[in-house]
Amino acid sequence: MKGQQAVLILAHKNFPQLLALMQKLTPTFRVYIHFDKKMVLRPHEKKELAQFENVSFFSKYDVKWGSFSIVSATLDLIKMALADPTVGYLHLISGQDWPAQAPAAVAAFYDAHPAIYLDYWLAQTREKSHEQQIWWTKFYYNYDQVNRRSTFGKLYHRVLIAVQLLLRVNKLKRLGVSSQEIYAGQQWFDAPREALAYAVQKFESDPRWRQLFTTSFCPDEFWLQTMLCNSEYQSAIVNDLHRYILWEHREGNYPAILDDRDLTAIKQSKALWMRKIELPISASLLKKL
């Protein structure tokens, strides 16, 4: 693969951990960061980030879970990285992710195997949180204005779905989009610049997609899968994120925050990335990897 690799990071808390992540990544990767506007950087923190020549960062969106703001931040990160013609391959992670192997080994894998690594499935074939996942794009939501994770937001969500089921709302039909075109999956990806440039151009050139996803629930789990799975790039997608994620409730967190108990499983998985990492809880684990 030609060109350098870039890591795009969606960050929302724990600046010391993010700084440690920069120290880990920057000898190998170009790094771009979006800071949630709720995470206000102090002058000395901006100065600490500025010491890394290959790190660019900005804070533009008040990111709300389940809303289009996550897609907006991701799109801007992708476009910022693509503006550098030397960037040939991009990774999207969160500020709570970490390389599961030495960064040089991670980069070497993608240099040797530069496919599109993306989690995906046809949305209408799955249920999530006891709801048909296609409902999340078929119906209208406004989670840039309503806190979906609040007690009110949880009740509001149920009422919103119940009313739209009763009224037989179908945003897909109104926009001329088939349910067969809607794919879903985790928002994280590892992909070559050409595929992401295509996805951004396709999304921004057809106003239907913005109308669809700005009023969807968790659009970050749909937009890229839908763009790429309805294109010639689908045959290049490998449905494997190479990420170690422990999908269980542990000590009030889901997915679980990783610690020493997960060391053997992480090594045996041969994963390239892992989440969630939370310092100082995960500090001993990181030292042993």
Side-chain angles (χ1 to χ4, degrees):
M1 180 184 67
K2 295 181 180 180
Q4 62 179 324
Q5 296 185 35
V7 177
L8 317 179
I9 302 177
L10 295 167
H12 72 285
K13 66 175 186 177
N14 201 336
F15 182 82
Q17 177 173 324
L18 192 73
L19 195 63
L21 181 59
M22 292 306 93
Q23 292 166 343
K24 186 79 172 177
L25 293 177
T26 50
T28 305
F29 299 101
R30 182 85 174 80
V31 178
Y32 299 87
I33 311 168
H34 175 265
F35 288 98
D36 188 328
K37 286 188 75 173
K38 293 185 289 293
M39 183 180 175
V40 180
L41 294 180
R42 300 179 180 90
H44 78 272
E45 292 174 335
K46 292 181 180 179
K47 188 174 181 181
E48 286 180 291
L49 282 174
Q51 69 179 305
F52 300 103
E53 293 183 0
N54 57 344
V55 173
S56 300
F57 62 93
F58 67 105
S59 179
K60 184 176 179 181
Y61 302 101
D62 180 3
V63 176
K64 295 181 174 67
W65 184 77
S67 78
F68 188 74
S69 56
I70 305 174
V71 178
S72 295
T74 302
L75 284 166
D76 281 8
L77 282 168
I78 293 172
K79 289 189 282 188
M80 182 179 284
L82 293 180
D84 182 346
T86 70
V87 171
Y89 199 88
L90 293 77
H91 312 270
L92 178 67
I93 68 173
S94 83
Q96 288 185 283
D97 293 3
W98 205 269
Q101 300 181 32
V106 174
F109 172 87
Y110 294 108
D111 273 334
H113 310 282
I116 302 168
Y117 297 96
L118 185 67
D119 192 36
Y120 75 95
W121 54 80
L122 193 62
Q124 68 176 7
T125 66
R126 296 280 185 99
E127 286 192 1
K128 198 169 181 180
S129 302
H130 308 293
E131 297 168 4
Q132 293 183 32
Q133 202 169 13
I134 194 67
W135 290 351
W136 297 1
T137 58
K138 185 178 181 180
F139 300 150
Y140 291 87
Y141 307 87
N142 59 329
Y143 293 134
D144 278 309
Q145 289 78 41
V146 176
N147 181 357
R148 170 65 178 84
R149 281 184 155 168
S150 67
T151 300
F152 170 78
K154 292 173 183 177
L155 178 61
Y156 177 81
H157 181 75
R158 293 173 186 171
V159 172
L160 207 57
I161 288 178
V163 169
Q164 293 185 84
L165 278 170
L166 185 65
L167 296 176
R168 297 184 178 180
V169 170
N170 191 337
K171 180 176 54 176
L172 296 174
K173 184 176 180 180
R174 187 182 72 80
L175 292 174
V177 176
S178 167
S179 59
Q180 292 289 326
E181 296 178 77
I182 306 299
Y183 287 81
Q186 294 182 62
Q187 71 189 95
W188 320 113
F189 61 75
D190 309 275
R193 69 176 292 127
E194 294 80 9
L196 293 172
Y198 168 83
V200 171
Q201 190 278 333
K202 180 177 181 179
F203 178 83
E204 295 189 334
S205 64
D206 187 341
R208 293 181 308 158
W209 299 122
R210 183 167 290 274
Q211 292 176 50
L212 175 65
F213 291 123
T214 53
T215 53
S216 292
F217 174 45
C218 290
D220 53 304
E221 298 182 8
F222 292 91
W223 84 273
L224 185 59
Q225 284 82 355
T226 299
M227 297 303 100
L228 293 181
C229 289
N230 293 289
S231 76
E232 62 184 19
Y233 286 100
Q234 183 172 25
S235 61
I237 299 175
V238 177
N239 202 336
D240 184 348
L241 287 176
H242 299 292
R243 282 158 172 76
Y244 184 87
I245 305 174
L246 186 58
W247 292 106
E248 65 179 47
H249 292 274
R250 191 162 80 187
E251 299 171 5
N253 294 283
Y254 183 82
I257 292 175
L258 304 176
D259 57 30
D260 280 355
R261 289 170 286 182
D262 307 299
L263 178 63
T264 299
I266 291 169
K267 287 185 175 180
Q268 290 176 347
S269 74
K270 297 183 180 179
L272 298 171
W273 305 96
M274 56 185 176
R275 68 186 313 264
K276 291 182 172 181
I277 296 299
E278 184 74 41
L279 296 179
I281 299 171
S282 309
S284 180
L285 169 66
L286 298 185
K287 288 180 181 178
K288 294 175 182 177
L289 278 170

Short mmCIF file of all heavy atoms in Angstrom, two decimals, residues 17 34 42 58 67 100 104 118 154 188 225 229 249 274 283:
data_model
loop_
_atom_site.label_atom_id
_atom_site.label_comp_id
_atom_site.label_asym_id
_atom_site.label_seq_id
_atom_site.Cartn_x
_atom_site.Cartn_y
_atom_site.Cartn_z
N GLN A 17 -5.28 10.34 29.18
CA GLN A 17 -5.27 9.08 28.44
C GLN A 17 -5.06 9.33 26.95
O GLN A 17 -4.30 8.61 26.29
CB GLN A 17 -6.59 8.33 28.65
CG GLN A 17 -6.68 7.04 27.85
CD GLN A 17 -7.91 6.23 28.20
OE1 GLN A 17 -8.34 6.19 29.34
NE2 GLN A 17 -8.50 5.55 27.22
N HIS A 34 -11.11 14.70 16.72
CA HIS A 34 -12.23 15.62 17.00
C HIS A 34 -12.54 15.52 18.48
O HIS A 34 -12.82 14.43 19.01
CB HIS A 34 -13.48 15.28 16.21
CG HIS A 34 -14.65 16.17 16.61
ND1 HIS A 34 -15.58 15.79 17.55
CD2 HIS A 34 -14.98 17.44 16.23
CE1 HIS A 34 -16.45 16.77 17.73
NE2 HIS A 34 -16.11 17.79 16.93
N ARG A 42 -7.94 22.93 27.92
CA ARG A 42 -7.24 24.04 28.57
C ARG A 42 -6.04 24.46 27.71
O ARG A 42 -5.54 23.66 26.91
CB ARG A 42 -6.78 23.64 29.96
CG ARG A 42 -7.92 23.22 30.89
CD ARG A 42 -7.37 22.81 32.25
NE ARG A 42 -8.43 22.41 33.17
CZ ARG A 42 -8.89 21.17 33.29
NH1 ARG A 42 -8.38 20.20 32.52
NH2 ARG A 42 -9.85 20.89 34.15
N PHE A 58 -9.42 19.38 16.23
CA PHE A 58 -10.41 20.44 16.20
C PHE A 58 -11.56 20.05 17.11
O PHE A 58 -11.72 18.88 17.48
CB PHE A 58 -10.89 20.72 14.77
CG PHE A 58 -11.68 19.59 14.14
CD1 PHE A 58 -13.06 19.66 14.01
CD2 PHE A 58 -11.03 18.46 13.65
CE1 PHE A 58 -13.78 18.63 13.41
CE2 PHE A 58 -11.74 17.43 13.05
CZ PHE A 58 -13.12 17.51 12.94
N SER A 67 -27.15 10.46 17.71
CA SER A 67 -27.51 11.55 16.81
C SER A 67 -26.57 11.66 15.61
O SER A 67 -25.52 11.02 15.56
CB SER A 67 -27.49 12.87 17.58
OG SER A 67 -26.16 13.32 17.76
N ALA A 100 -3.78 -3.06 20.10
CA ALA A 100 -3.63 -4.30 20.86
C ALA A 100 -2.27 -4.94 20.62
O ALA A 100 -1.90 -5.90 21.30
CB ALA A 100 -4.74 -5.28 20.49
N ALA A 104 3.70 -0.43 15.09
CA ALA A 104 4.40 -0.78 13.85
C ALA A 104 3.85 -2.09 13.27
O ALA A 104 3.73 -2.23 12.04
CB ALA A 104 5.90 -0.90 14.09
N LEU A 118 -14.81 -3.57 7.61
CA LEU A 118 -16.04 -2.90 8.01
C LEU A 118 -17.05 -3.95 8.46
O LEU A 118 -17.28 -4.95 7.78
CB LEU A 118 -16.60 -2.10 6.83
CG LEU A 118 -17.83 -1.23 7.07
CD1 LEU A 118 -17.48 -0.06 8.00
CD2 LEU A 118 -18.36 -0.68 5.75
N LYS A 154 -35.29 7.90 26.98
CA LYS A 154 -35.64 6.49 26.81
C LYS A 154 -37.14 6.33 26.63
O LYS A 154 -37.60 5.56 25.77
CB LYS A 154 -35.15 5.69 28.01
CG LYS A 154 -33.63 5.61 28.11
CD LYS A 154 -33.17 4.96 29.40
CE LYS A 154 -31.64 4.97 29.50
NZ LYS A 154 -31.17 4.41 30.78
N TRP A 188 -16.84 1.82 13.51
CA TRP A 188 -15.38 1.80 13.33
C TRP A 188 -15.02 1.20 11.99
O TRP A 188 -15.71 0.33 11.45
CB TRP A 188 -14.74 1.03 14.48
CG TRP A 188 -15.40 1.32 15.79
CD1 TRP A 188 -16.13 0.47 16.55
CD2 TRP A 188 -15.45 2.60 16.46
NE1 TRP A 188 -16.62 1.11 17.65
CE2 TRP A 188 -16.23 2.41 17.62
CE3 TRP A 188 -14.91 3.86 16.19
CZ2 TRP A 188 -16.48 3.45 18.52
CZ3 TRP A 188 -15.16 4.89 17.07
CH2 TRP A 188 -15.94 4.69 18.22
N GLN A 225 -21.74 1.99 5.87
CA GLN A 225 -22.14 0.68 5.37
C GLN A 225 -23.08 0.82 4.17
O GLN A 225 -22.94 0.11 3.17
CB GLN A 225 -22.83 -0.12 6.48
CG GLN A 225 -21.91 -0.70 7.53
CD GLN A 225 -21.50 0.27 8.61
OE1 GLN A 225 -21.82 1.46 8.56
NE2 GLN A 225 -20.78 -0.22 9.62
N CYS A 229 -21.80 -0.61 0.68
CA CYS A 229 -22.41 -1.90 0.33
C CYS A 229 -23.31 -1.80 -0.89
O CYS A 229 -23.74 -2.83 -1.43
CB CYS A 229 -23.17 -2.46 1.52
SG CYS A 229 -22.10 -3.04 2.85
N HIS A 249 -21.71 -6.70 30.36
CA HIS A 249 -21.81 -5.68 31.41
C HIS A 249 -20.83 -6.05 32.52
O HIS A 249 -20.83 -7.17 33.01
CB HIS A 249 -23.23 -5.63 31.97
CG HIS A 249 -24.24 -5.11 30.99
ND1 HIS A 249 -24.49 -3.77 30.83
CD2 HIS A 249 -25.04 -5.77 30.11
CE1 HIS A 249 -25.42 -3.61 29.89
NE2 HIS A 249 -25.78 -4.80 29.44
N MET A 274 -8.22 -2.54 20.44
CA MET A 274 -9.08 -3.00 21.53
C MET A 274 -9.80 -1.82 22.16
O MET A 274 -9.32 -0.69 22.14
CB MET A 274 -8.25 -3.74 22.59
CG MET A 274 -7.11 -2.94 23.18
SD MET A 274 -6.10 -3.94 24.30
CE MET A 274 -4.80 -2.74 24.69
N ALA A 283 -4.39 0.50 33.17
CA ALA A 283 -2.96 0.80 33.11
C ALA A 283 -2.09 -0.45 33.18
O ALA A 283 -1.14 -0.61 32.41
CB ALA A 283 -2.59 1.77 34.23
#
